[in-house]
Amino acid sequence: MARPRAFDTDTAVEQAMNLFRRQGYHATPVPRLTALLGIGSGSLYAAFGSKDGLYARALERYCDGLVATLDRDMRAGDDLRTALRRLLLAVVTTGAEDPERGCLLVSAAVERADDDDTVERVRTAMTAVEAVLTEALERAVARGELGGERSPVEVARFLTTFIQGIHVMGRARAGRPFLETAVTGALRILD
């Protein structure tokens, strides 16, 4: 009979996700992961198959949480401009307060561009982000908050790309004033 697992895999995925956000995939060796999780490498491999398996689970958790939070925030009842400003400024604030805690989606896209599964997961997450933003923009048009002259899909694609750019510039320590000005400029697309 197999022994029961001596650690909580859900907690392990969360901890690994945070470590991968700070260090990236390649700068996170298995011994660092096992030390953080308080397990041996055998337990890591038994639970996740490999470092790649743990990374895939961490990336999935990150993406699912990102999309769910975005959807919740875009449905919070505020007008679209207020909701988007709050969202974008929250991304700026997070990056300014802790630039080492980067966006796992950005690092996955850059660092793991040669891994088909990672690329597909990033693409799926970006498509989901775009869909949430498109729906929010369509609701705003229907409520009369926005004119219909701009395509909600095109604006959503711009915003999806812009959000990832904020993450990159935050990691590059562009500074809060720079990024806040960029947010003000980006929101003019809604005028």
Side-chain angles (χ1 to χ4, degrees):
M1 178 178 280
R3 289 185 335 195
R5 222 170 246 133
F7 69 99
D8 179 7
T9 57
D10 196 50
T11 300
V13 169
E14 184 76 22
Q15 290 173 324
M17 179 187 75
N18 290 323
L19 184 60
F20 286 130
R21 283 181 75 179
R22 287 193 176 282
Q23 293 187 198
Y25 176 84
H26 295 301
T28 305
V30 170
R32 175 78 171 100
L33 282 167
T34 56
L36 171 73
L37 303 177
I39 62 174
S41 59
S43 294
L44 182 136
Y45 291 111
F48 303 106
S50 64
K51 176 182 165 183
D52 283 350
L54 176 55
Y55 183 82
R57 292 267 305 271
L59 181 59
E60 179 180 21
R61 159 132 350 142
Y62 182 84
C63 293
D64 290 349
L66 177 79
V67 173
T69 299
L70 177 64
D71 189 49
R72 182 197 68 220
D73 291 350
M74 291 295 102
R75 293 178 185 278
D78 294 322
D79 66 277
L80 180 69
R81 283 180 176 84
T82 300
L84 282 173
R85 176 173 288 287
R86 186 176 51 247
L87 165 74
L88 297 174
L89 290 177
V91 174
V92 167
T93 299
T94 300
E97 290 175 353
D98 191 2
E100 293 303 315
R101 187 176 177 231
C103 174
L104 192 54
L105 259 172
V106 170
S107 68
V110 172
E111 232 188 336
R112 307 255 306 159
D114 61 342
D115 181 79
D116 292 340
D117 292 337
T118 300
V119 169
E120 185 56 33
R121 186 63 184 123
V122 168
R123 187 178 297 129
T124 298
M126 288 297 147
T127 300
V129 166
E130 178 187 316
V132 168
L133 291 172
T134 298
E135 289 174 16
L137 288 156
E138 288 170 345
R139 285 192 304 271
V141 169
R143 291 189 306 247
E145 293 174 25
L146 298 175
E149 58 275 355
R150 287 198 174 88
S151 160
V153 171
E154 289 175 6
V155 174
R157 285 185 181 159
F158 167 78
L159 291 169
T160 299
T161 304
F162 181 73
I163 291 166
Q164 298 316 306
I166 292 173
H167 286 297
V168 170
M169 296 303 288
R171 192 77 186 242
R173 292 168 177 77
R176 185 183 299 242
F178 175 90
L179 293 172
E180 286 176 351
T181 303
V183 166
T184 298
L187 288 173
R188 288 197 179 111
I189 195 170
L190 302 176
D191 294 340

